[in-house]
């Protein structure tokens, strides 16, 4: 296990290595060089980066044009502005036209904390899932992130990668191999299945350890690949448990909780599900990350509480 690392740093390292091995990659930013931590790339390859200024619609349009011209175009800016401001351009220029653009949504979720709802991206996965042909990934650790990016740069077609804004510790050792579509079972149990994507995977890992001290055996499921997703593998991992709790720093509609609900419903599986996230009628609060997660019960304490309640309901 390595020290914590910002996923944007992993992204930039992957870009540098890609160009070094001959990939014709062009990053496009919207005055977001600091957010993207892309200075090392700019120093190595001056003139290869395109900065369109604070104009996200132009950002996506420029990336589409570069892709049509044969470049591997990657956009690097904050998820709330990329997804909200350039929604139509993503839909038409990238997805509808099936252009080979890789969209990186940086500082996703409530990464911006006290800057509040204008800077929180808690609907990006739901919006991207509405565009039927874009692959969607949410890495939870540096190693997984690097492998997802390397795959995305080789894959021909649109990709959205959701990157958290905090440094994340490693969850995987050097033997881990990311496979598009596959879920990542970090721990196998039989009482309750805990399912998460991105940085909240770390919350369910710790929650499972606490539950184990109480004699509750939890399956821990990381879902790095939202689309494609091996739904049969996901169903098999949760169907043997008595209850399921999904956890995400995202609205409960359209994210990983919805994905789990769809899988259970379409299979006719009666395992009860509790979705934890930003609930209907709410936005993520303007606060530091720990306070935000505690308020919305997507921290370790919230996961443990709801796992206990779901199992108690089954027993009663």
């Amino acid at each position: 296990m390595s020290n914590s690392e910002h996923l944007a740093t992993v992204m930039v390292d992957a870009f540098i290595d890609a160009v070094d091995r001959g990939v014709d990659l062009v990053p496009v930013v919207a005055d977001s060089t600091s957010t993207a931590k892309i200075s090392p790339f700019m120093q190595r390859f001056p003139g290869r980066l395109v900065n369109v200024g604070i104009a996200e619609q132009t950002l996506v349009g420029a990336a589409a044009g570069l892709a049509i011209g044969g470049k591997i175009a990657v956009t690097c800016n904050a998820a709330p502005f990329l997804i909200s401001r350039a929604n139509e351009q993503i839909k038409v220029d990238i997805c509808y036209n099936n252009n080979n653009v890789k969209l990186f949504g940086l500082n996703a979720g409530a990464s911006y904390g006290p800057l509040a709802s204008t800077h929180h991206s808690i609907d990006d996965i739901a919006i991207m899932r509405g565009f039927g042909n874009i692959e969607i990934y949410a890495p939870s650790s540096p190693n997984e992130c690097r492998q997802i990016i390397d795959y995305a740069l080789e894959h021909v077609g649109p990709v959205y990668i959701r990157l958290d804004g905090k440094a994340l510790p490693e969850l995987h050792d050097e033997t881990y191999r990311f496979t598009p579509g596959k879920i990542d079972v970090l721990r196998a149990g039989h009482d309750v299945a805990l399912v998460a994507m991105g940085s909240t995977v770390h919350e369910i890992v710790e929650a499972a350890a606490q539950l184990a001290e109480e004699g509750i055996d939890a399956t821990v499921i990381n879902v790095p690949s939202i689309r494609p997703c091996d739904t049969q593998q996901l169903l098999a991992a949760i169907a043997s448990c008595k209850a399921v709790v999904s956890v995400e720093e995202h609205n409960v509609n359209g994210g990983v909780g919805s994905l789990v609900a769809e899988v259970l419903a379409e299979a006719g599986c009666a395992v009860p599900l509790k979705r934890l996230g930003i609930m209907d009628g709410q936005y993520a609060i303007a606060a530091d990350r720990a306070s935000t997660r505690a308020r919305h019960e997507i921290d370790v304490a919230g996961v443990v509480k709801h796992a206990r309640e779901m199992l108690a309901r089954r027993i009663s």
Side-chain angles (χ1 to χ4, degrees):
M1 298 278 178
S2 65
N3 294 327
S4 297
E5 190 171 5
H6 281 275
L7 300 190
T9 301
V10 176
M11 175 190 75
V12 173
D13 288 344
F15 292 172
I16 291 172
D17 289 347
V19 176
D20 279 342
R21 64 176 183 267
V23 176
D24 195 3
L25 181 145
V26 180
V28 188
V29 299
D31 216 24
S32 49
T33 54
S34 59
T35 299
K37 302 184 185 299
I38 205 156
S39 291
F41 185 94
M42 296 167 65
Q43 292 167 8
R44 284 287 304 278
F45 308 107
R48 184 169 276 273
L49 179 135
V50 175
N51 189 344
V52 301
I54 303 175
E56 283 76 9
Q57 295 94 335
T58 303
L59 169 93
V60 174
L66 288 163
I68 291 170
K71 308 294 185 183
I72 306 298
V74 296
T75 71
C76 313
N77 71 314
F81 310 133
L82 170 68
I83 302 304
S84 296
R85 293 178 181 170
N87 184 272
E88 182 180 4
Q89 285 72 26
I90 293 172
K91 174 185 176 181
V92 178
D93 297 348
I94 306 303
C95 297
Y96 180 76
N97 287 288
N98 201 37
N99 271 317
N100 190 30
V101 176
K102 320 306 169 185
L103 303 168
F104 287 83
L106 308 175
N107 291 358
S111 294
Y112 281 114
L115 294 180
S117 295
T118 57
H119 282 61
H120 293 164
S121 182
I122 59 169
D123 50 12
D124 55 316
I125 297 295
I127 292 169
M128 290 297 99
R129 289 186 75 205
F131 302 152
N133 64 320
I134 186 168
E135 296 194 359
I136 306 168
Y137 301 101
S140 62
S141 70
N143 184 359
E144 183 174 74
C145 181
R146 176 57 189 260
Q147 293 191 43
I148 288 173
I149 294 171
D150 287 346
Y151 160 77
L153 297 181
E154 293 292 330
H155 171 75
V156 178
V159 176
Y160 174 62
I161 301 178
R162 180 187 224 237
L163 298 185
D164 196 88
K166 63 185 277 189
L168 296 179
E170 190 54 74
L171 285 171
H172 305 94
D173 61 27
E174 62 279 0
T175 65
Y176 172 74
R177 294 294 178 268
F178 165 78
T179 301
K182 297 298 183 183
I183 65 168
D184 177 26
V185 179
L186 295 168
R187 176 175 183 153
H190 61 271
D191 290 324
V192 61
L194 308 178
V195 187
M197 65 177 178
S199 62
T200 50
V201 172
H202 296 267
E203 305 286 355
I204 66 171
V205 167
E206 187 174 341
Q210 290 193 20
L211 289 167
E213 294 175 359
E214 304 174 16
I216 297 173
D217 194 15
T219 290
V220 177
I221 302 171
N222 167 31
V223 185
S225 185
I226 309 298
R227 179 192 291 134
C229 181
D230 187 338
T231 55
Q232 291 305 307
Q233 185 194 17
L234 178 58
L235 179 64
I238 61 182
S240 60
C241 293
K242 302 179 182 72
V244 187
V245 178
S246 65
V247 187
E248 56 198 316
E249 198 170 272
H250 185 278
N251 190 280
V252 291
N253 299 307
V256 73
S258 288
L259 176 61
V260 172
E262 292 157 15
V263 168
L264 290 171
E266 290 176 358
C269 184
V271 178
L273 165 67
K274 176 65 179 180
R275 294 178 298 157
L276 299 181
I278 314 303
M279 306 305 291
D280 278 350
Q282 297 181 359
Y283 290 88
I285 63 170
D288 64 85
R289 204 70 175 282
S291 299
T292 298
R293 290 192 172 185
R295 171 69 173 272
H296 295 286
E297 296 189 304
I298 54 176
D299 61 348
V300 174
V303 177
V304 169
K305 169 192 166 185
H306 285 283
R308 288 195 201 112
E309 289 178 354
M310 292 293 285
L311 289 173
R313 190 182 309 166
R314 284 301 302 267
I315 292 171
S316 62

